[in-house]
Amino acid sequence: MIARIDTTLEQDGVGFPHYADLHTGRWVRTPDGNWTGGFWVGLLWLAAWRTGKSKYRSAAIEWAERLAPRAASKSVFKGFLFWYGAGLGVELFGDRVARQLAYDGTKGLIEMFNGNAGLIPLGTDAEEAAEVGNDRANIDALPGTVALLLTHALQLGADDVARRHLTKHFELCVRSDDSVCQSAVFEPANGRLIRRYTHKGLSDDSTWGRAQAWAMLALGQAMSFGDSSCQETAVAVANWWVAHLPPDSVAYWDFDDPAIPNAPRDSAATAIAAAALLKLAVLVPERRSAYLRTAEASIRALAEHHLTPTGPEDRRATGMLTDGCFDRRSGFATNNELIFGDYFLFEGLLVISGDLAPNRV
């Protein structure tokens, strides 16, 4: 995976890596980072941590600074950008540039907070194809955002925003059986749920793989940075994943696709969930064994069967995570390398190898 980071650094192209063609290894890039650019910077921070080489840290700072204009964007997804793009630089290196960027990103998030509804909405600039705005919520809005708020909001006098944002999203998106619905419409005046729906899942009633995984990750981050009040929800949501994961430990893009077992997989959802379970294994001792076993099985499956080269005849670029399904619903990048899938597999590998404490990131 470090070799893949190197080839990405060397590859021609302007903008942040977004998703790549599995045959050529060429990245499709976004000029401003879209919602995924922080994961490329996060890979660089982790490479610097793993290798001790200054070239990765220098590159991380350079790319992180390119995210600075996004602090003012009206998208809750900037939590991804400024946690993975800057927050990691603070947590791992105490980097001065990263600290200012993380502060600016957190301030931008707090400025979007709706105190009456008790959450930060998707926002008018949210990087979804449709149905965005100030009366919409999305479970994807929690990871990164919650971590930033819990580690930086106190400086801004808004230390309760993280708890309220997290609690309201689980009220809106977690079903009674502990599965997670991706999105919701709410009443801006009071936060009342109007309806649940999905942007990227099979249907409004199905469980899109990444929805469950993002929820698990957010809960792991919340507990890691001091909010233990969500432990019951964390265990319930994680237990659902463990119970429904296929025997080969790699999730389908949607748990309810009737084409299973011939439905597409999603290596990215699997990597996210594995990273979340490694955090929760430390935080919930009574579930440690089950969570570790599931996380390690998924990471092993991804590394052995979905990371190039996948066999002796595979001549593709080294270190591409295959079978990433960005948006099956719209037919967008349904079998590609995804920059966020790469990030979470790399994070998981570093945790398993003992190079990184799971609750630092």
Side-chain angles (χ1 to χ4, degrees):
M1 297 204 74
I2 291 173
R4 180 57 171 161
I5 293 171
D6 288 337
T7 60
T8 300
L9 280 170
E10 296 162 3
Q11 195 177 104
D12 293 335
V14 177
F16 292 82
H18 193 42
Y19 65 92
D21 182 280
L22 292 177
H23 299 290
T24 67
R26 300 286 309 177
W27 287 101
V28 172
R29 296 170 180 265
T30 60
D32 64 355
N34 199 272
W35 65 266
T36 61
F39 295 109
W40 164 234
V41 190
L43 280 165
L44 293 168
W45 289 122
L46 292 187
W49 180 256
R50 173 66 174 83
T51 67
K53 294 182 178 179
S54 60
K55 72 170 186 177
Y56 296 117
R57 182 170 173 182
S58 296
I61 294 170
E62 176 188 342
W63 281 94
E65 288 181 311
R66 299 182 192 182
L67 293 172
R70 294 298 307 282
S73 64
K74 299 304 181 185
S75 170
V76 71
F77 297 140
K78 63 191 173 191
F80 283 130
L81 300 178
F82 288 95
W83 174 250
Y84 293 98
L88 267 62
V90 178
E91 296 302 314
L92 298 178
F93 298 101
D95 186 86
R96 177 184 57 82
V97 173
R99 189 178 302 279
Q100 184 62 52
L101 287 167
Y103 177 89
D104 291 343
T106 306
K107 182 179 179 183
L109 286 165
I110 291 170
E111 289 170 352
M112 291 179 62
F113 183 68
N114 178 340
N116 293 324
L119 81 167
I120 303 167
L122 275 178
T124 53
D125 297 335
E127 296 87 342
E128 291 283 9
E131 295 198 76
V132 300
N134 294 323
D135 62 345
R136 310 292 167 129
N138 191 307
I139 205 71
D140 312 32
L142 292 181
T145 297
V146 167
L148 274 177
L149 292 171
L150 286 170
T151 55
H152 291 84
L154 185 60
Q155 307 166 55
L156 294 158
D159 49 306
D160 67 331
V161 171
R163 177 187 55 79
R164 295 185 66 193
H165 181 68
L166 183 75
T167 301
K168 176 54 69 172
H169 272 80
F170 285 115
E171 177 185 320
L172 294 174
C173 296
V174 178
R175 304 181 181 111
S176 59
D177 68 349
D178 303 320
S179 66
V180 177
C181 183
Q182 182 192 9
S183 308
V185 184
F186 64 90
E187 173 54 59
N190 55 26
R192 180 181 63 84
L193 174 65
I194 295 174
R195 69 177 175 93
R196 290 174 174 150
Y197 68 106
T198 185
H199 281 93
K200 294 189 175 77
L202 179 71
S203 71
D204 294 348
D205 297 323
S206 71
T207 302
W208 178 52
R210 281 212 308 279
Q212 199 77 21
W214 286 136
M216 293 162 60
L217 180 64
L219 286 158
Q221 288 182 334
M223 292 180 65
S224 295
F225 295 108
D227 186 354
S228 59
S229 66
C230 61
Q231 178 169 328
E232 183 177 347
T233 303
V235 170
V237 170
N239 286 353
W240 191 99
W241 179 277
V242 172
H244 290 82
L245 191 65
D248 66 1
S249 302
V250 178
Y252 294 99
W253 78 282
D254 192 295
F255 283 92
D256 296 295
D257 189 333
I260 292 172
N262 299 314
R265 304 293 184 134
D266 189 2
S267 59
T270 305
I272 295 164
L277 288 171
L278 290 173
K279 300 178 194 303
L280 293 170
V282 173
L283 297 161
V284 188
E286 62 270 26
R287 297 294 294 159
R288 177 178 174 81
S289 178
Y291 292 169
L292 273 180
R293 183 170 60 250
T294 303
E296 290 175 354
S298 287
I299 291 170
R300 179 178 295 277
L302 293 176
E304 293 183 351
H305 304 296
H306 300 268
L307 190 67
T308 59
T310 56
E313 304 303 318
D314 194 339
R315 298 291 182 263
R316 293 175 294 180
T318 296
M320 295 191 298
L321 181 59
T322 66
D323 302 298
C325 186
F326 197 112
D327 187 351
R328 172 76 169 176
R329 188 181 180 93
S330 67
F332 179 80
T334 59
N335 184 20
N336 293 80
E337 178 186 17
L338 308 178
I339 194 66
F340 52 96
D342 286 3
Y343 171 83
F344 285 106
L345 178 56
F346 193 44
E347 179 187 303
L349 287 167
L350 293 184
V351 170
I352 285 179
S353 67
D355 291 310
L356 179 70
N359 305 114
R360 292 198 68 175
V361 296

Short mmCIF file of all heavy atoms in Angstrom, two decimals, residues 238-276:
data_model
loop_
_atom_site.label_atom_id
_atom_site.label_comp_id
_atom_site.label_asym_id
_atom_site.label_seq_id
_atom_site.Cartn_x
_atom_site.Cartn_y
_atom_site.Cartn_z
N ALA A 238 -22.76 -2.30 15.82
CA ALA A 238 -21.64 -3.18 15.47
C ALA A 238 -22.06 -4.65 15.49
O ALA A 238 -21.65 -5.43 14.61
CB ALA A 238 -20.47 -2.96 16.42
N ASN A 239 -22.87 -5.03 16.45
CA ASN A 239 -23.35 -6.42 16.50
C ASN A 239 -24.17 -6.77 15.26
O ASN A 239 -24.11 -7.90 14.77
CB ASN A 239 -24.19 -6.64 17.76
CG ASN A 239 -23.35 -6.71 19.03
OD1 ASN A 239 -22.12 -6.73 18.97
ND2 ASN A 239 -24.00 -6.74 20.17
N TRP A 240 -24.94 -5.81 14.76
CA TRP A 240 -25.72 -6.04 13.54
C TRP A 240 -24.77 -6.39 12.40
O TRP A 240 -25.02 -7.33 11.64
CB TRP A 240 -26.55 -4.81 13.21
CG TRP A 240 -27.58 -5.05 12.14
CD1 TRP A 240 -28.92 -5.30 12.31
CD2 TRP A 240 -27.36 -5.07 10.71
NE1 TRP A 240 -29.54 -5.49 11.09
CE2 TRP A 240 -28.61 -5.35 10.09
CE3 TRP A 240 -26.24 -4.89 9.91
CZ2 TRP A 240 -28.75 -5.45 8.70
CZ3 TRP A 240 -26.38 -4.99 8.52
CH2 TRP A 240 -27.62 -5.26 7.94
N TRP A 241 -23.70 -5.60 12.25
CA TRP A 241 -22.72 -5.86 11.18
C TRP A 241 -22.12 -7.26 11.32
O TRP A 241 -22.05 -8.02 10.35
CB TRP A 241 -21.63 -4.81 11.20
CG TRP A 241 -20.57 -5.02 10.16
CD1 TRP A 241 -19.48 -5.84 10.25
CD2 TRP A 241 -20.52 -4.43 8.85
NE1 TRP A 241 -18.74 -5.80 9.09
CE2 TRP A 241 -19.36 -4.93 8.21
CE3 TRP A 241 -21.31 -3.51 8.17
CZ2 TRP A 241 -18.98 -4.55 6.93
CZ3 TRP A 241 -20.95 -3.14 6.89
CH2 TRP A 241 -19.79 -3.66 6.27
N VAL A 242 -21.66 -7.57 12.51
CA VAL A 242 -21.01 -8.87 12.74
C VAL A 242 -21.97 -10.01 12.40
O VAL A 242 -21.57 -11.02 11.78
CB VAL A 242 -20.53 -8.98 14.20
CG1 VAL A 242 -20.04 -10.38 14.51
CG2 VAL A 242 -19.42 -7.95 14.46
N ALA A 243 -23.23 -9.86 12.76
CA ALA A 243 -24.22 -10.92 12.52
C ALA A 243 -24.57 -11.07 11.05
O ALA A 243 -24.98 -12.16 10.62
CB ALA A 243 -25.47 -10.64 13.34
N HIS A 244 -24.45 -10.02 10.26
CA HIS A 244 -24.90 -10.05 8.86
C HIS A 244 -23.78 -10.11 7.84
O HIS A 244 -24.05 -10.25 6.65
CB HIS A 244 -25.77 -8.81 8.58
CG HIS A 244 -27.10 -8.84 9.27
ND1 HIS A 244 -27.26 -8.47 10.59
CD2 HIS A 244 -28.34 -9.22 8.84
CE1 HIS A 244 -28.54 -8.59 10.93
NE2 HIS A 244 -29.20 -9.05 9.90
N LEU A 245 -22.53 -10.03 8.28
CA LEU A 245 -21.41 -10.08 7.35
C LEU A 245 -21.34 -11.46 6.70
O LEU A 245 -21.49 -12.48 7.37
CB LEU A 245 -20.11 -9.78 8.10
CG LEU A 245 -18.86 -9.55 7.25
CD1 LEU A 245 -18.99 -8.28 6.41
CD2 LEU A 245 -17.63 -9.44 8.17
N PRO A 246 -21.11 -11.54 5.38
CA PRO A 246 -21.01 -12.85 4.71
C PRO A 246 -19.88 -13.70 5.28
O PRO A 246 -18.93 -13.17 5.88
CB PRO A 246 -20.73 -12.48 3.25
CG PRO A 246 -21.24 -11.09 3.10
CD PRO A 246 -21.02 -10.42 4.43
N PRO A 247 -19.94 -15.01 5.10
CA PRO A 247 -18.93 -15.91 5.65
C PRO A 247 -17.50 -15.61 5.20
O PRO A 247 -16.55 -15.91 5.93
CB PRO A 247 -19.38 -17.30 5.17
CG PRO A 247 -20.85 -17.15 4.98
CD PRO A 247 -21.07 -15.76 4.49
N ASP A 248 -17.35 -15.03 4.00
CA ASP A 248 -15.99 -14.72 3.54
C ASP A 248 -15.49 -13.38 4.04
O ASP A 248 -14.41 -12.92 3.67
CB ASP A 248 -15.90 -14.79 2.01
CG ASP A 248 -16.73 -13.72 1.32
OD1 ASP A 248 -17.37 -12.89 2.01
OD2 ASP A 248 -16.74 -13.71 0.07
N SER A 249 -16.28 -12.70 4.88
CA SER A 249 -15.88 -11.49 5.60
C SER A 249 -15.76 -10.24 4.75
O SER A 249 -15.21 -9.23 5.19
CB SER A 249 -14.55 -11.71 6.35
OG SER A 249 -14.66 -12.79 7.26
N VAL A 250 -16.31 -10.25 3.53
CA VAL A 250 -16.32 -9.07 2.67
C VAL A 250 -17.78 -8.73 2.36
O VAL A 250 -18.51 -9.57 1.82
CB VAL A 250 -15.53 -9.29 1.36
CG1 VAL A 250 -15.60 -8.06 0.47
CG2 VAL A 250 -14.07 -9.63 1.68
N ALA A 251 -18.19 -7.52 2.69
CA ALA A 251 -19.59 -7.13 2.60
C ALA A 251 -20.04 -6.92 1.15
O ALA A 251 -19.25 -6.50 0.29
CB ALA A 251 -19.83 -5.84 3.38
N TYR A 252 -21.31 -7.20 0.90
CA TYR A 252 -21.93 -6.79 -0.35
C TYR A 252 -22.23 -5.29 -0.27
O TYR A 252 -22.28 -4.71 0.81
CB TYR A 252 -23.22 -7.57 -0.60
CG TYR A 252 -22.97 -9.04 -0.83
CD1 TYR A 252 -23.13 -9.97 0.20
CD2 TYR A 252 -22.54 -9.50 -2.07
CE1 TYR A 252 -22.89 -11.32 -0.01
CE2 TYR A 252 -22.30 -10.85 -2.29
CZ TYR A 252 -22.47 -11.76 -1.25
OH TYR A 252 -22.21 -13.09 -1.46
N TRP A 253 -22.44 -4.68 -1.43
CA TRP A 253 -22.69 -3.23 -1.45
C TRP A 253 -23.93 -2.86 -0.67
O TRP A 253 -23.99 -1.81 -0.03
CB TRP A 253 -22.79 -2.73 -2.89
CG TRP A 253 -24.10 -3.02 -3.55
CD1 TRP A 253 -24.51 -4.22 -4.07
CD2 TRP A 253 -25.18 -2.12 -3.72
NE1 TRP A 253 -25.78 -4.12 -4.56
CE2 TRP A 253 -26.23 -2.83 -4.37
CE3 TRP A 253 -25.39 -0.77 -3.43
CZ2 TRP A 253 -27.44 -2.24 -4.72
CZ3 TRP A 253 -26.60 -0.18 -3.76
CH2 TRP A 253 -27.61 -0.91 -4.40
N ASP A 254 -24.94 -3.74 -0.70
CA ASP A 254 -26.16 -3.55 0.08
C ASP A 254 -26.55 -4.91 0.63
O ASP A 254 -26.58 -5.90 -0.11
CB ASP A 254 -27.28 -2.97 -0.80
CG ASP A 254 -28.48 -2.49 0.01
OD1 ASP A 254 -29.15 -3.34 0.64
OD2 ASP A 254 -28.76 -1.27 0.00
N PHE A 255 -26.85 -4.97 1.92
CA PHE A 255 -27.12 -6.26 2.56
C PHE A 255 -28.41 -6.89 2.06
O PHE A 255 -28.64 -8.08 2.30
CB PHE A 255 -27.18 -6.07 4.07
CG PHE A 255 -25.83 -5.94 4.72
CD1 PHE A 255 -25.26 -4.68 4.92
CD2 PHE A 255 -25.12 -7.05 5.13
CE1 PHE A 255 -24.02 -4.55 5.52
CE2 PHE A 255 -23.87 -6.94 5.73
CZ PHE A 255 -23.32 -5.68 5.91
N ASP A 256 -29.26 -6.12 1.39
CA ASP A 256 -30.56 -6.63 0.96
C ASP A 256 -30.70 -6.80 -0.55
O ASP A 256 -31.81 -7.00 -1.05
CB ASP A 256 -31.67 -5.68 1.47
CG ASP A 256 -31.74 -5.65 2.98
OD1 ASP A 256 -32.06 -6.69 3.57
OD2 ASP A 256 -31.42 -4.59 3.57
N ASP A 257 -29.60 -6.76 -1.27
CA ASP A 257 -29.66 -6.95 -2.71
C ASP A 257 -30.15 -8.39 -3.00
O ASP A 257 -29.52 -9.35 -2.56
CB ASP A 257 -28.28 -6.74 -3.33
CG ASP A 257 -28.32 -6.72 -4.86
OD1 ASP A 257 -29.23 -7.34 -5.45
OD2 ASP A 257 -27.44 -6.08 -5.46
N PRO A 258 -31.25 -8.54 -3.73
CA PRO A 258 -31.76 -9.90 -4.00
C PRO A 258 -30.84 -10.73 -4.88
O PRO A 258 -31.02 -11.94 -4.97
CB PRO A 258 -33.10 -9.63 -4.70
CG PRO A 258 -32.98 -8.26 -5.27
CD PRO A 258 -32.11 -7.50 -4.30
N ALA A 259 -29.85 -10.08 -5.50
CA ALA A 259 -28.91 -10.82 -6.36
C ALA A 259 -27.83 -11.54 -5.56
O ALA A 259 -27.06 -12.33 -6.13
CB ALA A 259 -28.26 -9.88 -7.36
N ILE A 260 -27.74 -11.30 -4.26
CA ILE A 260 -26.76 -12.00 -3.42
C ILE A 260 -26.95 -13.51 -3.58
O ILE A 260 -28.07 -13.99 -3.54
CB ILE A 260 -26.92 -11.57 -1.94
CG1 ILE A 260 -26.50 -10.09 -1.76
CG2 ILE A 260 -26.11 -12.46 -1.00
CD1 ILE A 260 -26.80 -9.51 -0.40
N PRO A 261 -25.92 -14.31 -3.81
CA PRO A 261 -24.48 -14.02 -3.68
C PRO A 261 -23.80 -13.49 -4.93
O PRO A 261 -22.56 -13.43 -4.97
CB PRO A 261 -23.91 -15.39 -3.31
CG PRO A 261 -24.77 -16.34 -4.09
CD PRO A 261 -26.16 -15.75 -4.03
N ASN A 262 -24.56 -13.12 -5.95
CA ASN A 262 -23.95 -12.61 -7.18
C ASN A 262 -23.97 -11.09 -7.25
O ASN A 262 -23.72 -10.52 -8.32
CB ASN A 262 -24.67 -13.21 -8.38
CG ASN A 262 -24.56 -14.72 -8.42
OD1 ASN A 262 -23.48 -15.28 -8.22
ND2 ASN A 262 -25.69 -15.39 -8.65
N ALA A 263 -24.26 -10.44 -6.17
CA ALA A 263 -24.27 -8.99 -6.12
C ALA A 263 -22.85 -8.46 -5.96
O ALA A 263 -21.95 -9.17 -5.48
CB ALA A 263 -25.13 -8.52 -4.95
N PRO A 264 -22.61 -7.20 -6.34
CA PRO A 264 -21.28 -6.60 -6.15
C PRO A 264 -20.90 -6.51 -4.68
O PRO A 264 -21.75 -6.31 -3.81
CB PRO A 264 -21.43 -5.21 -6.76
CG PRO A 264 -22.60 -5.30 -7.68
CD PRO A 264 -23.53 -6.29 -7.05
N ARG A 265 -19.63 -6.66 -4.43
CA ARG A 265 -19.09 -6.44 -3.08
C ARG A 265 -18.77 -4.96 -2.92
O ARG A 265 -18.79 -4.19 -3.88
CB ARG A 265 -17.82 -7.26 -2.88
CG ARG A 265 -17.97 -8.76 -3.11
CD ARG A 265 -18.87 -9.41 -2.08
NE ARG A 265 -18.93 -10.85 -2.25
CZ ARG A 265 -18.82 -11.73 -1.26
NH1 ARG A 265 -18.67 -11.31 -0.02
NH2 ARG A 265 -18.88 -13.03 -1.51
N ASP A 266 -18.44 -4.57 -1.70
CA ASP A 266 -17.89 -3.25 -1.47
C ASP A 266 -16.72 -3.36 -0.50
O ASP A 266 -16.91 -3.45 0.72
CB ASP A 266 -18.94 -2.27 -0.94
CG ASP A 266 -18.42 -0.84 -0.90
OD1 ASP A 266 -17.26 -0.62 -1.32
OD2 ASP A 266 -19.14 0.06 -0.44
N SER A 267 -15.53 -3.38 -1.07
CA SER A 267 -14.32 -3.49 -0.25
C SER A 267 -14.17 -2.27 0.65
O SER A 267 -13.63 -2.37 1.76
CB SER A 267 -13.09 -3.64 -1.14
OG SER A 267 -12.95 -2.54 -2.02
N ALA A 268 -14.64 -1.10 0.19
CA ALA A 268 -14.51 0.11 1.00
C ALA A 268 -15.37 0.03 2.26
O ALA A 268 -14.90 0.33 3.36
CB ALA A 268 -14.89 1.34 0.18
N ALA A 269 -16.63 -0.39 2.12
CA ALA A 269 -17.48 -0.56 3.29
C ALA A 269 -16.86 -1.55 4.27
O ALA A 269 -16.89 -1.35 5.50
CB ALA A 269 -18.87 -1.04 2.87
N THR A 270 -16.30 -2.61 3.74
CA THR A 270 -15.68 -3.64 4.57
C THR A 270 -14.49 -3.07 5.34
O THR A 270 -14.32 -3.33 6.54
CB THR A 270 -15.23 -4.82 3.69
OG1 THR A 270 -16.35 -5.29 2.93
CG2 THR A 270 -14.67 -5.95 4.54
N ALA A 271 -13.65 -2.29 4.67
CA ALA A 271 -12.48 -1.71 5.32
C ALA A 271 -12.88 -0.70 6.39
O ALA A 271 -12.27 -0.64 7.47
CB ALA A 271 -11.59 -1.05 4.27
N ILE A 272 -13.91 0.11 6.11
CA ILE A 272 -14.39 1.08 7.10
C ILE A 272 -14.88 0.35 8.35
O ILE A 272 -14.54 0.72 9.48
CB ILE A 272 -15.53 1.92 6.51
CG1 ILE A 272 -15.03 2.79 5.36
CG2 ILE A 272 -16.19 2.80 7.59
CD1 ILE A 272 -16.13 3.35 4.47
N ALA A 273 -15.70 -0.67 8.15
CA ALA A 273 -16.25 -1.40 9.29
C ALA A 273 -15.15 -2.09 10.09
O ALA A 273 -15.20 -2.13 11.33
CB ALA A 273 -17.27 -2.42 8.80
N ALA A 274 -14.16 -2.63 9.39
CA ALA A 274 -13.06 -3.29 10.10
C ALA A 274 -12.30 -2.29 10.96
O ALA A 274 -11.95 -2.58 12.12
CB ALA A 274 -12.12 -3.95 9.10
N ALA A 275 -12.04 -1.10 10.41
CA ALA A 275 -11.36 -0.07 11.20
C ALA A 275 -12.19 0.32 12.42
O ALA A 275 -11.65 0.54 13.51
CB ALA A 275 -11.09 1.15 10.32
N ALA A 276 -13.50 0.40 12.24
CA ALA A 276 -14.39 0.73 13.36
C ALA A 276 -14.36 -0.35 14.42
O ALA A 276 -14.30 -0.06 15.63
CB ALA A 276 -15.81 0.93 12.84
#
